Amino acid sequence: MSLGKVIRKYRKIRNLTQEEMASRLGVSAPAVNKWENENSYPDITLLAPIARLLDISLDTLLCFREELTKEEVNEILQEADRRLKEEAFDETFRWARKKLEQYPNCEPLILNLAIFLDAYRIAHEVPGQEQYDEYLCSLYTRLLDSREEAVRVRAADGLFGFYRRKKQCEKAEKYLEYFSVQNPERKRKQAEIYAETNRVQEAYKAYEELLFSDYQRVSMELRGMYLLSLRNDDRERARWLLVKQEEMARCFEMGKYQEVSNRIELATLEKDTDSVIAVMQEMLSCVERLWDYRNAHLYEHMEFKEISEEFVAETKENLLKCFRDEETYGFLKNDRRWQELVKP
């Protein structure tokens, strides 16, 4: 928003006419009209009186702290895109710099224009693109002090990408500090740095830890969808989701127990005796393989705690106790297979 538009906006908020504002400032009404229509600017000595009259700060009057709406930011980005289709990159770059000089503290605009121009010059192999390095990096660097975590992370990501492309891995790596430890992107990018600096074992380990974590996350999401299907009495979709869970457990090398154990709930709900008994038998027969992922080729660089024989035995006994629960499995009490399976 320009100075003239700011004056008009806050004059109306204060319910002042141009004549009233002019009278209080000791200028003519046409002068105020010219300010608002951007045909001229107030004398520098009038800036403080104007701010006091409109009950705003000088920063607000001069747009130093102005925030554009998402729609306004998108309009500027669309204009940049249109310009790049019609003119040379350098011309659009100069236009963008002037825009950012108009809105020096609008972080969404700074961030999105920096990312847009940075990506365009790389994707289109703009000649002499190195001449834009310093300015674009300065935009990212400014945003590292943002109060918004999302802005800081995206700015750090821009700098990480810049230095990684330059093969300056040590500089790139330091920007990972801006990513939360819980953010998987931090570990993925760290793995990339490990790989590029020949720290092969560390790279494998980081990728494997990401995979292992991804399995846990996706497994819970599929479980949530499965429960939602049951709540909506969509048994067909529930069965389909169980197949997906089994396929995922196999793909991620989580072991036979993880592949089969999800079947028992739906089989029990449907009181499918043969299926329930079959799943119980499979689960008990491979309970020792519950931790097969520890020896999976996919996770060979990860370190896992040792599992004692006592813990395995305790786990199996707890599973049997569960299968003996008559409230859940009472419909099996006359089945000899179940009786043999759960006997003490």
Side-chain angles (χ1 to χ4, degrees):
M1 193 181 295
S2 64
L3 174 62
K5 289 178 181 177
V6 172
I7 292 174
R8 176 179 293 168
K9 173 183 175 180
Y10 287 98
R11 175 180 62 77
K12 290 183 176 181
I13 289 174
R14 296 278 289 161
N15 292 317
L16 293 170
T17 65
Q18 289 184 342
E19 289 76 12
E20 289 172 329
M21 182 172 181
S23 175
R24 297 192 188 188
L25 293 171
V27 298
S28 66
V32 175
N33 183 269
K34 288 182 179 180
W35 298 343
E36 293 187 358
N37 288 305
E38 302 177 17
N39 293 320
S40 67
Y41 295 101
D43 187 272
I44 191 170
T45 60
L46 287 172
L47 294 179
I50 290 172
R52 285 194 294 268
L53 177 62
L54 299 179
D55 195 24
I56 58 177
S57 68
L58 276 173
D59 282 347
T60 300
L61 178 64
L62 298 173
C63 310
F64 287 157
R65 292 186 180 173
E66 182 186 9
E67 287 297 329
L68 297 173
T69 65
K70 288 183 179 180
E71 292 73 19
E72 289 171 326
V73 171
N74 286 334
E75 285 175 7
I76 293 173
L77 291 172
Q78 289 169 8
E79 173 68 9
D81 185 54
R82 184 192 65 75
R83 285 174 172 272
L84 284 171
K85 292 174 182 175
E86 299 174 358
E87 60 190 31
F89 180 84
D90 190 55
E91 292 178 61
T92 301
F93 184 81
R94 288 197 298 271
W95 168 84
R97 287 194 67 157
K98 289 181 180 178
K99 276 292 176 186
L100 294 178
E101 288 167 2
Q102 285 182 269
Y103 308 101
N105 291 306
C106 183
E107 291 182 350
L109 181 64
I110 297 170
L111 178 64
N112 284 286
L113 265 181
I115 292 173
F116 178 74
L117 293 171
D118 203 8
Y120 185 92
R121 66 171 181 152
I122 296 167
H124 294 80
E125 298 181 351
V126 172
Q129 57 180 267
E130 295 79 9
Q131 64 185 297
Y132 309 108
D133 287 353
E134 184 178 355
Y135 181 71
L136 290 173
C137 283
S138 73
L139 296 181
Y140 289 136
T141 302
R142 283 168 55 189
L143 295 173
L144 293 176
D145 293 324
S146 171
R147 295 179 181 177
E148 299 292 328
E149 181 182 7
V151 173
R152 295 196 302 271
V153 169
R154 293 187 69 191
D157 191 29
L159 288 165
F160 173 88
F162 172 79
Y163 286 110
R164 188 179 166 213
R165 290 192 300 273
K166 296 287 187 181
K167 304 298 181 183
Q168 298 179 35
C169 292
E170 188 174 343
K171 284 188 175 181
E173 193 170 5
K174 77 174 186 177
Y175 291 105
L176 296 181
E177 296 174 4
Y178 290 88
F179 290 75
S180 164
V181 175
Q182 290 76 30
N183 187 341
E185 275 299 290
R186 175 171 178 160
K187 181 163 286 189
R188 187 183 65 78
K189 291 178 183 297
Q190 183 67 73
E192 293 174 357
I193 295 295
Y194 285 150
E196 290 188 11
T197 54
N198 295 317
R199 288 177 278 178
V200 178
Q201 301 302 311
E202 292 94 330
Y204 271 125
K205 183 180 179 182
Y207 281 127
E208 290 168 12
E209 288 173 346
L210 283 168
L211 278 177
F212 194 77
S213 177
D214 285 343
Y215 171 79
Q216 309 298 330
R217 177 180 56 79
V218 176
S219 181
M220 288 189 289
E221 289 162 0
L222 285 173
R223 171 75 178 169
M225 293 170 68
Y226 163 78
L227 292 174
L228 186 60
S229 299
L230 290 183
R231 192 176 304 143
N232 288 281
D233 200 27
D234 189 347
R235 300 287 178 86
E236 184 178 351
R237 183 171 182 80
R239 271 187 283 273
W240 176 76
L241 286 164
L242 287 178
V243 171
K244 291 299 176 186
Q245 285 181 295
E246 185 173 335
E247 291 174 345
M248 190 183 70
R250 188 178 303 115
C251 176
F252 281 78
E253 297 186 32
M254 298 307 294
K256 187 67 175 177
Y257 185 93
Q258 297 291 352
E259 293 176 28
V260 303
S261 58
N262 288 311
R263 302 178 198 162
I264 196 166
E265 186 174 30
L266 185 58
T268 302
L269 185 64
E270 296 179 336
K271 291 184 167 50
D272 182 345
T273 300
D274 289 341
S275 294
V276 172
I277 295 293
V279 176
M280 283 181 171
Q281 289 172 338
E282 281 194 273
M283 290 174 68
L284 287 168
S285 69
C286 63
V287 69
E288 291 86 357
R289 299 171 59 189
L290 182 55
W291 301 274
D292 272 6
Y293 58 82
R294 298 172 68 252
N295 301 312
H297 189 56
L298 197 56
Y299 310 113
E300 65 178 316
H301 297 86
M302 288 180 64
E303 297 175 1
F304 297 98
K305 291 182 179 179
E306 290 295 325
I307 305 298
S308 68
E309 293 182 6
E310 292 79 6
F311 185 74
V312 173
E314 183 181 345
T315 302
K316 189 169 186 176
E317 183 55 38
N318 288 335
L319 193 59
L320 281 167
K321 286 180 182 178
C322 175
F323 291 163
R324 293 185 190 116
D325 179 26
E326 291 195 14
E327 185 176 347
T328 304
Y329 300 108
F331 66 96
L332 298 173
K333 63 182 179 181
N334 295 321
D335 191 293
R336 288 186 178 179
R337 294 172 298 175
W338 177 76
Q339 295 168 0
E340 286 293 320
L341 198 66
V342 301
K343 65 182 180 182

